Amino acid sequence: QKFIKKNNLHFEIIQKNKLIIEEEKERSENLLLSILPQSITEELKTHNIVQPKHYDQVSVLFSDFKGFTRISEGLKPTELLERLNIFFALFDEISAEYNLERIKTIGDAYMAAGGLPEANVTNALDAVHAAMSIQQALRDTKFKLGIPEHEWEMRVGVHTGPVVAGVVGTTKFAYDIWGDAVNIASRLESKSEAGQVNISKDTYNLIKDHYECQYRGEIEIKNRGKIDMYFVVGPKQDT
C-alpha cells in the first residue's frame, strides 16, 4: 500500500511538472507571437534562424506627431507614456484590421508595412485605408479625451516599393525591414502636414482608382532629389 501511495505521489508530481512545463511553453510562444509575425515565429522555432526575404512590393506607413518635443515638455513622463500607449494601441488595431504588420515605434514615430510577411498585391490600398483610418481615429479619440484639436496632430507618409525583411538579434528578436522604400516613406512623412496622408507617385498609381488625391508637385527630399507627392483627400464616390 505504501508502494502504491508512493507511486501515486510520484505520478502526481510528474503530471504537475508536465503541466507547469506546458504552461511555460505556451506563455513563451504567446510572448514570441507578440513580438514576431506567426509565420516568422514558426520558421524560427523550426530552423532556429529566419532567412532574410526580398519583397518586390511592400507599402510602408510612417507617422509621427507634430511638435512632439513641445508636447512632451508639457506632460509628466507617466502622462506622456499613457497618451502614446493609447494612440499606438489604437494604431495597432487598425493596422491589424487592414493586414499591416507593425514594424516598430521610435519615440513618437509609428511604422507599419503591408505586403509582408505574406506577399500580396493589395498592400498599397491596405496601407492607405489604414492611414486614413488612423487619422480619423486619432481625431475621434482626441475629442473623447478632451484634447484640443491643434494638439497631438499627426503627419503620415506612405510609399510603395521593394524591401528586405528579416529578424535581427539573438536574445531580443526584432522583425524589421530595410531598403530605399523605408527611407522614402520616412521622408514623405516629414514632408507631410498635420492631419494629412502624404503618398508617393508609386503608391498613388496603385490607389488612384479608389481615392481622390491632391497633387502637390515635385518636392525635394534628402538624398533623393525631387519626387512627386500627393495628399489623399478621400475615397472616390463610385468605389
Side-chain angles (χ1 to χ4, degrees):
Q1 197 170 8
K2 287 182 180 180
F3 178 76
I4 293 173
K5 286 182 178 179
K6 186 176 181 180
N7 276 352
N8 286 341
L9 181 61
H10 184 62
F11 178 76
E12 287 177 8
I13 292 172
I14 290 173
Q15 290 299 105
K16 188 177 288 185
N17 286 340
K18 184 178 178 182
L19 182 62
I20 291 171
I21 291 169
E22 289 297 324
E23 288 176 349
E24 287 299 321
K25 182 181 177 183
E26 184 178 356
R27 190 178 292 114
S28 296
E29 289 186 358
N30 288 336
L31 180 61
L32 202 55
L33 283 171
S34 71
I35 299 170
L36 303 173
Q38 185 171 358
S39 61
I40 301 300
T41 299
E42 293 301 324
E43 184 179 350
L44 188 62
K45 283 163 56 180
T46 304
H47 304 290
N48 293 319
I49 192 171
V50 176
Q51 294 294 336
K53 187 174 179 181
H54 174 84
Y55 294 85
D56 291 324
Q57 182 188 309
V58 165
S59 293
V60 183
L61 180 157
F62 212 99
S63 76
D64 81 346
F65 291 97
K66 178 184 176 184
F68 182 72
T69 301
R70 177 185 53 79
I71 293 171
S72 61
E73 288 172 351
L75 292 172
K76 295 178 182 178
T78 52
E79 293 173 330
L80 183 67
L81 286 175
E82 183 181 349
R83 288 274 173 88
L84 282 173
N85 187 55
I86 290 171
F87 295 142
F88 285 166
L90 182 65
F91 300 169
D92 281 345
E93 288 180 16
I94 293 170
S95 292
E97 180 183 352
Y98 290 105
N99 201 28
L100 267 63
E101 185 70 34
R102 193 246 270 208
I103 304 300
K104 57 186 164 185
T105 61
I106 310 165
D108 66 312
Y110 181 93
M111 179 180 166
L116 51 73
E118 281 73 45
N120 63 48
V121 295
T122 63
N123 56 80
L125 200 54
D126 295 338
V128 171
H129 283 331
M132 296 295 280
S133 295
I134 282 172
Q135 287 285 27
Q136 185 58 54
L138 177 62
R139 288 190 286 268
D140 294 342
T141 303
K142 286 188 342 183
F143 180 77
K144 290 176 184 176
L145 296 175
I147 298 172
E149 189 176 342
H150 66 278
E151 291 184 10
W152 289 92
E153 292 181 297
M154 191 173 66
R155 297 178 296 238
V156 181
V158 178
H159 174 63
T160 305
V163 304
V164 172
V167 173
V168 292
T170 55
T171 54
K172 293 185 178 181
F173 299 110
Y175 182 68
D176 209 345
I177 59 177
W178 300 268
D180 206 29
V182 178
N183 299 328
I184 294 174
S186 175
R187 303 295 180 225
L188 284 162
E189 174 273 312
S190 66
K191 294 295 183 179
S192 187
E193 293 178 5
Q196 297 286 357
V197 175
N198 189 34
I199 64 174
S200 66
K201 187 174 183 178
D202 295 289
T203 302
Y204 168 77
N205 286 335
L206 294 167
I207 63 99
K208 63 183 179 183
D209 293 336
H210 301 271
Y211 277 91
E212 296 286 352
C213 297
Q214 175 191 341
Y215 180 56
R216 303 181 64 200
E218 289 186 327
I219 298 175
E220 184 92 22
I221 63 172
K222 187 178 179 181
N223 299 328
R224 287 285 302 185
K226 293 183 177 181
I227 67 169
D228 293 305
M229 296 187 192
Y230 300 77
F231 279 148
V232 182
V233 177
K236 288 192 172 181
Q237 296 303 313
D238 57 348
T239 60

